[in-house]
Amino acid sequence: ARVAGSGGFEKICVVKRILPQYASDPDFVRMFLDEARLTAAIRHGNVAQVFDMGECEDGLYFAMEYVHGVDLRFVLHTLATREERMPLEHVLTIGIGAAAGLHAAHERKDREGRPLGIVHRDVKPSNVFLPAGRPAKIMDFGVARLAGLGTTTAGVVVGTPNYMSPEQVAAGELDGRSDLFSAGLILYELVTGEKAFQADSLVSIMYKILHEAPDLGLIPDGRQWERLRAVLARASRARPRTATPMPEPASRPISDGIHTASPFRGRGV
């Protein structure tokens, strides 16, 4: 969609709506409104922005930032097809951007200065976007909740199994450290070319997340990778409480290594 203003001003945005078959589902409507409100509350360059929310004849909607680029799921698939690995300096650049976005969400406060305790709960490759020429952005707070609420319904686990934290699998109380674990699993996959937890069934994957640890021996040595090792601790109390600081890599922009390759060009969300 295009938003027009005075003096020839024009801005491209994305309009997100509820599909008609879900418009009368109160739980789905609540999740939709929660996503708009929570995302609008996070004003940071590493989080996709929400500009407006409203209702029209066709139902509820919210307008959000248009991001031209690719998501990490596409990048991982392309790298696997080519049997290539992403350069480590690019992995660090993605990690720094994702960590900054999550930190902004976790540290967001209300008007009285009280922490909102936002937890994304679904940090996965398709929700980390790489805009052309710009830092990584965290997307889709559709299942985000405030810390301490645990699950949406008693006994219901929310998230994507391959990227869940142990406490998420156990349907326990969550805080920002759960998101850090999920982000760590994504970076682990970028570095090693393998998912940290692999099995033939979702139940087996969840069992491994609860009872096993990723093979940290596959992570490169060096101070810049210590943070990744720390966020992959199985016990949440052993993980850093915040997503920052992370060391800045001395490297060229990630766009030099990804968006100049033709398979990664010309896409937008």
Side-chain angles (χ1 to χ4, degrees):
R2 296 177 185 270
V3 178
S6 59
F9 172 84
E10 186 176 81
K11 189 176 186 67
I12 299 176
C13 66
V14 173
V15 176
K16 189 168 184 177
R17 296 171 48 198
I18 300 178
L19 292 173
Q21 59 266 38
Y22 301 117
S24 60
D25 184 331
D27 289 333
F28 202 92
V29 170
R30 176 181 53 77
M31 289 175 60
F32 183 85
L33 294 174
D34 284 349
E35 178 185 3
R37 294 185 187 113
L38 289 177
T39 310
I42 308 165
R43 293 181 288 276
H44 193 272
N46 294 105
V47 176
Q49 300 297 287
V50 167
F51 302 130
D52 189 26
M53 180 175 68
E55 188 170 7
C56 61
E57 292 180 0
D58 295 325
L60 294 167
Y61 71 89
F62 63 84
M64 62 186 302
E65 174 185 8
Y66 171 83
V67 182
H68 182 78
V70 295
D71 64 39
L72 267 184
R73 179 177 58 181
F74 177 82
V75 172
L76 283 166
H77 174 75
T78 303
L79 291 172
T81 301
R82 296 175 174 177
E83 298 184 347
E84 295 177 357
R85 298 280 181 84
M86 181 179 287
L88 294 181
E89 65 267 25
H90 293 163
V91 177
L92 281 172
T93 302
I94 291 171
I96 289 168
L102 290 174
H103 180 73
H106 299 158
E107 297 298 310
R108 183 64 184 166
K109 296 177 173 59
D110 64 17
R111 293 179 179 178
E112 282 71 46
R114 297 169 298 196
L116 289 174
I118 296 173
V119 185
H120 188 289
R121 299 201 303 175
D122 199 20
V123 179
K124 58 184 178 182
S126 60
N127 284 339
V128 180
F129 212 80
L130 306 181
R134 291 187 290 159
K137 286 182 180 283
I138 298 294
M139 312 278 288
D140 197 351
F141 283 75
V143 296
R145 286 292 180 272
L146 303 185
L149 293 185
T151 57
T152 303
T153 304
V156 176
V157 178
V158 174
T160 302
N162 279 113
Y163 303 99
M164 285 183 178
S165 67
E167 59 269 31
Q168 201 170 5
V169 171
E173 184 172 311
L174 306 181
D175 60 23
R177 289 171 292 188
S178 175
D179 287 343
L180 294 188
F181 187 91
S182 299
L185 294 180
I186 295 173
L187 297 181
Y188 182 97
E189 188 173 349
L190 285 171
V191 169
T192 67
E194 300 178 0
K195 289 182 171 62
F197 300 102
Q198 301 183 68
D200 295 331
S201 69
L202 294 181
V203 172
S204 297
I205 290 172
M206 291 181 172
Y207 180 88
K208 285 190 172 186
I209 292 173
L210 278 175
H211 301 286
E212 299 179 13
D215 184 357
L216 300 183
L218 298 178
I219 299 175
D221 295 327
R223 182 179 64 87
Q224 65 267 46
W225 299 104
E226 292 175 0
R227 197 71 167 178
L228 176 55
R229 297 173 187 273
V231 300
L232 288 174
R234 195 160 72 236
S236 63
R237 63 180 179 277
R239 298 178 213 140
R241 294 197 65 88
T242 176
T244 57
M246 289 184 68
E248 291 283 349
S251 67
R252 56 196 178 132
I254 191 170
S255 57
D256 291 351
I258 291 182
H259 293 289
T260 54
S262 60
F264 300 113
R265 297 175 67 183
R267 294 167 63 93
V269 165

